[in-house]
Amino acid sequence: MILINESHPEEFILLGFANHPWLQLPLFVILLITYPMAMMGNIIIILVSKLDPRLHSPIPMYFFLTNLSFLDICYTTSFVPQMLFNLGTSKKTISYMGCVVQLFVFSTMGCTECLLLALMSFDRFVAICRPLHYTLIMNQRMCILLVTIMWMSGITYAIVEDTLTLQLPLCGINKLDQFFCEIPVLIKTACGEKEVNELILSVVCIFVVAIPVCLILASYAGIGHAILKIKSSEGRKKAFGTCSSHLLVVFLFYGPVISMYLQPPSSISRDKPKFMALFYGVVTPTLNPFIYTLRNKDVKGALGKLVRSILSYK
């Protein structure tokens, strides 16, 4: 799937916060708490969406939410267990093939989530601005087609970008100044001519990050205009409530991603990628289930119903 340079090292040393050793224990404890929370929260969202008849019926919003929860599970799992192992032991390494797999999964999930958040904003736009045509436009067949295109785009991006990155010569360097294998860090570590790779990464990120952001902004501009036309305050509150959770998730995810990927890797400071990666790779997947659960009446009702049915069964 991914071409491998014959001169690649057998393993990489992940430096992490080697220059701040006092951070390792607090970080280990934080990850030990947040990772199970992220896994449990996203699994609950998937179960509730699938088991509750009201949410399992062909409602695009919950179909997309299930995909988002699955993405967050894969996204976090692609590197957090490795981080926990490295933080808990003196060995801070990852095998080359482990790095390749981690790079592919992380890239696929990151690109796919960018597209999914744009797709979810379009769904909210149609629901609020074209309510009479909503079921016709966002029918089950169309939703499955859009999600399939989204996943295929993420996989294609990962294969192309990862292959180009892994072809860069490392000149015997096997130390990565990060917790896990990530494209900007590998480009920054490589020796020789890498301006082409930086340019390709920037161009691809314009399509993967900037264009979805523009679609999200355009969708919410239309949504805001439609909400202002609603005469009743109750109607405006309900319309805004259906979008606020997704809008908050968009800010949490895209903020760090834009600050990381829409600039040349060589210009990024040493510790910035680590903090940004922790935020969009750990904090956001942990908060997403709580944001959608606490701010969504249907999800809260379905969750309460599921808990009551489990307790009554026991």
Side-chain angles (χ1 to χ4, degrees):
M1 179 178 61
I2 297 176
L3 300 176
I4 299 174
N5 192 334
E6 291 182 359
S7 62
H8 67 76
E10 293 184 1
E11 62 182 17
F12 287 104
I13 298 173
L14 302 172
L15 297 178
F17 285 117
N19 54 330
H20 305 295
W22 59 272
L23 277 174
Q24 295 193 37
L25 181 57
L27 185 58
F28 179 81
V29 174
I30 291 170
L31 289 177
L32 204 59
I33 296 171
T34 55
Y35 178 61
M37 287 174 60
M39 294 295 290
M40 188 180 301
N42 284 293
I43 289 171
I44 287 173
I45 291 289
I46 294 173
L47 289 176
V48 166
S49 300
K50 292 296 182 183
L51 295 178
D52 192 281
R54 293 173 300 172
L55 305 186
H56 185 55
S57 58
I59 302 177
M61 178 179 174
Y62 299 108
F63 176 63
F64 296 142
L65 182 56
T66 302
N67 275 270
L68 179 63
S69 293
F70 178 72
L71 273 169
D72 283 341
I73 289 171
C74 297
Y75 202 51
T76 308
T77 305
S78 67
F79 70 95
V80 172
Q82 178 73 41
M83 279 182 63
L84 284 169
F85 178 79
N86 287 350
L87 289 170
T89 62
S90 58
K91 188 178 181 182
K92 314 292 184 185
T93 61
I94 183 173
S95 67
Y96 184 83
M97 283 309 302
C99 182
V100 170
V101 172
Q102 193 177 73
L103 192 69
F104 176 74
V105 174
F106 193 81
S107 301
T108 300
M109 299 306 155
C111 175
T112 306
E113 187 157 344
C114 286
L115 301 176
L116 177 59
L117 291 174
L119 191 56
M120 292 173 76
S121 69
F122 175 73
D123 171 67
R124 293 298 85 206
F125 170 80
V126 177
I128 293 174
C129 301
R130 301 289 186 272
L132 299 178
H133 301 91
Y134 180 64
T135 54
L136 182 64
I137 297 172
M138 300 302 291
N139 57 69
Q140 189 174 18
R141 184 177 178 182
M142 177 58 70
C143 291
I144 293 173
L145 176 62
L146 290 172
V147 167
T148 302
I149 293 172
M150 174 194 77
W151 277 102
M152 293 305 298
S153 300
I155 292 171
T156 302
Y157 160 77
I159 291 175
V160 173
E161 193 63 52
D162 294 356
T163 301
L164 291 172
T165 302
L166 291 168
Q167 294 307 300
L168 288 170
L170 295 174
C171 303
I173 302 172
N174 70 332
K175 293 182 179 181
L176 300 181
D177 195 16
Q178 182 56 288
F179 294 108
F180 56 93
C181 295
E182 193 181 24
I183 289 175
V185 178
L186 284 169
I187 292 177
K188 193 173 182 179
T189 304
C191 58
E193 297 295 329
K194 50 189 177 183
E195 288 76 12
V196 174
N197 292 75
E198 290 188 347
L199 178 62
I200 292 173
L201 180 62
S202 299
V203 171
V204 171
C205 284
I206 289 174
F207 288 95
V208 173
V209 178
I211 291 179
V213 167
C214 292
L215 291 174
I216 291 170
L217 293 175
S219 296
Y220 277 103
I223 289 170
H225 183 68
I227 289 176
L228 291 175
K229 287 184 176 180
I230 299 174
K231 295 181 179 180
S232 67
S233 59
E234 187 66 28
R236 287 196 297 268
K237 185 178 178 181
K238 184 178 179 181
F240 180 76
T242 62
C243 302
S244 57
S245 298
H246 174 257
L247 200 55
L248 183 56
V249 170
V250 167
F251 282 130
L252 288 173
F253 180 80
Y254 274 105
V257 170
I258 289 173
S259 67
M260 267 292 297
Y261 284 90
L262 292 185
Q263 59 178 307
S266 57
S267 67
I268 299 173
S269 62
R270 181 176 181 182
D271 289 331
K272 183 179 178 180
K274 303 164 193 175
F275 289 110
M276 293 296 101
L278 286 174
F279 192 87
Y280 65 72
V282 178
V283 177
T284 303
T286 304
L287 293 178
N288 283 355
F290 294 98
I291 293 170
Y292 278 105
T293 301
L294 296 176
R295 300 180 65 86
N296 190 299
K297 188 183 296 184
D298 293 333
V299 175
K300 282 193 291 186
L303 181 58
K305 184 180 177 182
L306 178 64
V307 172
R308 287 192 297 271
S309 64
I310 292 172
L311 293 175
S312 63
Y313 175 78
K314 287 184 178 181

